Amino acid sequence: MNVIRRIFCHSWKQYAAAAAVAVTITGLFLLKDGFALRISYYNALTAAGAVTLLLGLLMMAAYFGMFDIFGYSFSTLRSQRRYHDLYEYSEAKREKRRHGDKFFLPWMIVGAAFLL
């Protein structure tokens, strides 16, 4: 039960943001293709689900530290360095993320729902 709670119990604002992006993409595709054919709705919902799901996967990659090297490179531009090397920076970010929320899951759930 605890695993299901961690996956699905997030702020309604995160679900609303993901749904708003998906509905906007659906509307744009329907405006482009027209509202008359059933295939247009299929195309719009598939594109919106795929884009939302891929945004969730991109957020997941950022959450697990795939882009830490870019953050570290920008942090070294200052004359006074807070971290001595990339390993120290990555460990500090990993510890900070461990206590944070998995904000990418609502995007993936909404994307999967639109794909279904």
Side-chain angles (χ1 to χ4, degrees), residues 14 17-19 21-22 25 47-64 66-67 101-112 115:
Q14 293 176 351
V21 167
I25 293 171
V51 167
T52 309
L53 184 66
L54 290 174
L55 282 173
L57 289 172
L58 186 64
M59 289 179 193
M60 183 177 72
Y63 177 80
F64 285 116
M66 293 295 184
F67 303 115
D101 189 24
K102 292 179 175 46
F103 56 88
F104 56 87
L105 285 174
W107 290 82
M108 296 173 73
I109 291 168
V110 170
L115 279 175

Side-chain angles (χ1 to χ4, degrees), residues 38-56:
R38 226 182 302 171
I39 192 76
S40 300
Y41 289 95
Y42 175 75
N43 183 27
L45 290 172
T46 302
V51 167
T52 309
L53 184 66
L54 290 174
L55 282 173

Side-chain angles (χ1 to χ4, degrees), residues 16 20 24 28-29 41 43-44 50 52 65 71 84 88 93 100-101 107 111-113:
T24 302
L28 290 174
F29 268 85
Y41 289 95
N43 183 27
T52 309
H84 292 88
E88 186 179 334
K93 289 294 182 179
D101 189 24
W107 290 82

Side-chain angles (χ1 to χ4, degrees), residues 1-11 14-15 101-103 105-106 109:
M1 189 66 169
N2 194 15
V3 173
I4 294 173
R5 183 182 194 116
R6 278 187 281 153
I7 292 174
F8 292 108
C9 290
H10 296 282
S11 172
Q14 293 176 351
Y15 283 105
D101 189 24
K102 292 179 175 46
F103 56 88
L105 285 174
I109 291 168

